[in-house]
Amino acid sequence: MRACLAGVARLLVAALVLALLMAVAPARAENWTVASEDYFPPYNFTERGKRTGMDTEIVDAMLKDIGVYPVHRPMAWPEVVRAHDENEVDVAFQFFTSPRRLERGHLVGPYRVGATVLMVRSNSEITYARIDDLQGLRVGVVDGFEYTPEFDKSPLFERVRSSSNVVSFRRLLLALLWQFLREGAR
C-alpha cells in the first residue's frame, strides 16, 4: 500500500511540475506566411532588412492580436496573386474587393480605406471624371490588379501592363524625359 501511495505521489508531483512548466514557458506563436508586393511604398517595402510600411504594420498588428507571427514573403504582384490563388501562403494583401476575388478567397476588411487614382505628368492636360475621358489613351496597369469593373471592362483605352506600380511610374517618368529630350533637340 505504501509503494502504491508513493507511486501516486510521484505522478502528482510530476503532473504539478509539468503544469508549472507549461504555465511559465513562453507561448509559441504559430507562423503564417504573408505575401505582399515587394516594393509598394509607403504601404509595404523592406527597410534595413525588415518588412515595413503602413499596410505591413496594420497586418502585423492584426496577426499579433490573434497570436500569429508573420513570416513575410515579398514578391512581384502577379506572384502574390498566384501564391494566394494556389494556397501557397496563409495571408496575402492588398486586394481590391471584386466578385472574382470573393470567389477565390476569403477577404477580411477593409482594414483601411483608400482610392485608386490616375497619375499623370504635372504638365498634362488630361482630366479624368468619367471612363470616357480615357478614350484613346495609353494607361499603365499592373498585371493581376483589379480596378473598378467599369475600368477593367472598358475597350476605350490601351492598357500598358507592368509587374508593379513602380514600373508604371518609371514609364511615366521616362515618357516625360523623352518628351523633354525631343523638345530640347528642336
Side-chain angles (χ1 to χ4, degrees), residues 23-52:
V24 297
R28 298 183 69 103
E30 182 178 351
N31 291 338
W32 282 11
T33 305
V34 178
S36 62
E37 189 170 1
D38 51 1
Y39 188 71
F40 190 34
Y43 305 104
N44 38 283
F45 56 98
T46 302
E47 186 174 69
R48 291 183 223 126
K50 181 184 181 311
R51 286 301 281 171
T52 191

Side-chain angles (χ1 to χ4, degrees), residues 83-96:
H84 171 266
D85 289 349
E86 295 179 11
N87 292 316
E88 293 178 4
V89 295
D90 299 299
V91 174
F93 66 96
Q94 299 95 349
F95 286 103
F96 178 78

Side-chain angles (χ1 to χ4, degrees), residues 1 4 9 17-18 24 32 38 44-45 47 53-54 57 60 67 70 87 90 104 115 123 146 155 157 169 179 183:
M1 175 90 160
C4 185
V17 168
L18 183 61
V24 297
W32 282 11
D38 51 1
N44 38 283
F45 56 98
E47 186 174 69
M54 182 171 48
E57 291 176 20
D60 285 356
N87 292 316
D90 299 299
R104 293 183 163 201
N123 63 347
E146 291 186 27
F157 54 90
F169 182 68
Q179 181 182 357
E183 288 174 0

Side-chain angles (χ1 to χ4, degrees), residues 120-126 176 179-180 183:
V120 297
R121 296 187 304 262
S122 62
N123 63 347
S124 174
E125 295 187 20
I126 296 171
L176 177 62
Q179 181 182 357
F180 175 75
E183 288 174 0

Side-chain angles (χ1 to χ4, degrees), residues 27-163:
R28 298 183 69 103
E30 182 178 351
N31 291 338
W32 282 11
T33 305
V34 178
S36 62
E37 189 170 1
D38 51 1
Y39 188 71
F40 190 34
Y43 305 104
N44 38 283
F45 56 98
T46 302
E47 186 174 69
R48 291 183 223 126
K50 181 184 181 311
R51 286 301 281 171
T52 191
M54 182 171 48
D55 285 356
T56 301
E57 291 176 20
I58 292 170
V59 169
D60 285 356
M62 288 189 302
L63 293 178
K64 181 180 177 184
D65 195 44
I66 61 170
V68 173
Y69 180 78
V71 178
H72 289 280
R73 283 186 51 205
M75 52 187 76
W77 182 253
E79 284 300 303
V80 172
V81 174
R82 187 198 56 72
H84 171 266
D85 289 349
E86 295 179 11
N87 292 316
E88 293 178 4
V89 295
D90 299 299
V91 174
F93 66 96
Q94 299 95 349
F95 286 103
F96 178 78
T97 303
S98 70
R100 181 173 167 262
R101 280 283 135 226
L102 289 170
E103 286 175 10
R104 293 183 163 201
H106 181 72
L107 299 179
V108 177
Y111 57 85
R112 105 177 130 71
V113 177
T116 300
V117 296
L118 189 66
M119 180 185 287
V120 297
R121 296 187 304 262
S122 62
N123 63 347
S124 174
E125 295 187 20
I126 296 171
T127 59
Y128 176 76
R130 300 183 340 255
I131 200 77
D132 296 348
D133 295 335
L134 301 177
Q135 184 159 359
L137 298 178
R138 299 177 75 220
V139 179
V141 296
V142 178
D143 282 333
F145 267 33
E146 291 186 27
Y147 301 90
T148 65
E150 181 183 33
F151 183 92
D152 288 341
K153 293 176 184 173
S154 178
L156 296 174
F157 54 90
E158 177 187 351
R159 288 164 186 77
V160 180
R161 301 192 177 283
S162 68
S163 61

